Amino acid sequence: NDELEKMLNREQQRRQQAEVELRLLAEDAKTRRDEQALERAALAKQLKQLKLEVDMWSRKDKGVNDWIKSQREDWKSQKIQLQNEVKKAREEQMCSRCGGAARRDAE
């Protein structure tokens, strides 16, 4: 009987130990799942922030590109205006050399 009780006690202890280990494993798995969920949430937040930054830079690039385009147009019009002024000044200079005859002929 003593041996049978000892065997039963050992078996109970093994079962209790197995139950404790099983609970610990379950808690550990839950903790890992919770940690993974937190990591996923942090990564999702980081991704959202990166998307917002990309969108912001895209808008800034568009604004810069629009500004560059308007500057090019301004520079082109200024260049044309200066070319016309230079052309007019050359014509006036030519006219003054030949006594205004070229100007009268041009008109």
Side-chain angles (χ1 to χ4, degrees), residues 60-75:
K60 280 187 179 181
D61 285 348
K62 184 184 180 319
V64 168
N65 289 337
D66 290 347
W67 178 82
I68 289 171
K69 185 178 178 182
S70 71
Q71 286 298 312
R72 281 188 186 142
E73 291 169 3
D74 290 347
W75 292 334

Side-chain angles (χ1 to χ4, degrees), residues 2-51:
D2 282 342
E3 276 189 47
L4 191 55
E5 274 185 43
K6 284 181 186 179
M7 284 176 60
L8 283 173
N9 283 339
R10 277 189 232 140
E11 188 59 34
Q12 254 184 336
Q13 286 176 350
R14 282 187 202 142
R15 281 188 185 156
Q16 287 174 348
Q17 183 67 27
E19 287 174 5
V20 167
E21 287 178 14
L22 187 61
R23 256 186 276 129
L24 289 175
L25 286 173
E27 287 174 9
D28 188 42
K30 183 184 180 309
T31 301
R32 271 188 264 131
R33 282 192 307 271
D34 291 347
E35 288 172 353
Q36 288 173 346
L38 288 173
E39 279 182 46
R40 282 193 303 276
L43 288 173
K45 185 177 180 180
Q46 196 175 22
L47 179 62
K48 184 178 180 181
Q49 181 63 34
L50 288 172
K51 285 180 180 179

Side-chain angles (χ1 to χ4, degrees), residues 87-99 103:
K87 185 177 176 182
K88 187 176 179 182
R90 284 186 182 154
E91 287 174 357
E92 287 176 3
Q93 188 179 24
M94 294 267 296
C95 289
S96 65
R97 283 189 195 153
C98 59
R103 180 186 276 171

